[in-house]
Amino acid sequence: KEFNLSKNIRGGSWGTLVLDKNSIKLTSKEKDWFTIQGTQITNLTNPNKNELGMEFCPEENDNEDDDFLCELKLYVPNKIIHDEEEHKEGEENGNGYQPSDSINNISSPKSNSSGVFKFKDAEALKAQINKITSSSNLGEAIAVLTEVQMITPRGKINLHFLKNTFKITGPSYDYKIPYNHINRAFILPKQDGASIAFVVGLTTPMRQGNTSYPFIVFQMKKGTECEITLNIPDDEGERSKVLKHPIDKEIKADLYDVMAKLFKSIIGVGVIIPGKFKSSQNVASLKCNNKTSEGYLYPMEKSIIFINKPTIFILLDEILSVNCERLSESNLKLFDMVIKTKRNESFEFSKIERREYEPLSKYFIDKKVNFTSDEGEEGDDKLVTGKKIRQAPDMEIDLPSEDEEDEDFDSQEGDEESESASEESNKKERSKNR
């Protein structure tokens, strides 16, 4: 049986883009192909002069096992199309792509009464759609932080804390992250003593092109003072409808301190700080490599985190074993460490200075993690899973840990929860405030 069907063998579909205040619609022959609400778009990109990429994230109630559209690309032509059938179709509809719509004849976006726009290139289209995404039920910003340095991915950006959305605005991109997609945050002091890394964990990774970022890393200098006035009601009753936790309307403090307060009060996510671990240099981190990337490893009270690229987060409860290698080679000043997890993942951290073995071994032993090494030195040895490790001497450390309140951060309560408990708590908190 033969079917008389129209065919498209070019891989592209031409239509008319109709923009209104809150949505984007693509039509052809007076039929709607699809409609996209501004609130569904998380990012707009321009892969090249003629393409506009729209990225999406799953809705809050979507099943994580379901398939969903994560990106759609639109092509904005910049020359006359010499296809008679396409011209004829446009003439029949009265709204198709016409030769007169050539990029050379259009200097700026124009629209008619039906909302049909003509654009000189994809960048102009991006600017117009960005207005829709910015005004689509996002409301006014509760707080805005400007000129913040982001290092993963890299760029200087502005941060907008909206009613239900965390918006990141950069020179060439805009991201909207729903608050319920943020599940943890860390403040990690850098070894130089002058910088702070502010790390944000996401349940749905942020995408930039073909790269996914499950963690965003900001960097701030200590002593960078920030003073802001929050856009919140003066009435305490009305204010409680906007905030997860109380906060002063006017805040003046270091930038990282201000961000920690905003994360707890507006987003409802407490900020975790390093615990009692101290390296041989009396700092909270170890310098090491992951593959070819140089970075810093932070042994926390209930987890381990490596920054910057890639950012690696491992819960101690998920660790199956830790093995330190190349310690038996006494002529080497560096050693490697391999962490295997219960999810069959393996992470190797190399080029760790040998003097860091003592505090690192004590850390894992105290946390009751299955720790092994090939060290063959004489001393107070302890047998673990068939290999010898040297028991590190007792280290008396009396410093604030993750489960202790820090007077500079009133957002530390409950920050030492496990991953599952923390996420469950966040879900309950958000459902209560809806």
Side-chain angles (χ1 to χ4, degrees), residues 254-270:
D254 273 4
L255 179 58
Y256 66 89
D257 194 350
V258 172
M259 273 194 69
K261 295 178 188 298
L262 295 178
F263 261 71
K264 179 170 183 178
S265 298
I266 300 175
I267 301 178
V269 174

Side-chain angles (χ1 to χ4, degrees), residues 9 17 64 69 124 184 186 221 226 234 355 365 380 412:
I9 60 175
L17 203 62
E64 61 180 18
L69 179 66
R184 54 174 56 85
F186 301 88
K221 289 186 176 180
C226 176
D234 293 324
R355 60 187 176 184
I365 291 169
D380 183 11
Q412 304 306 321

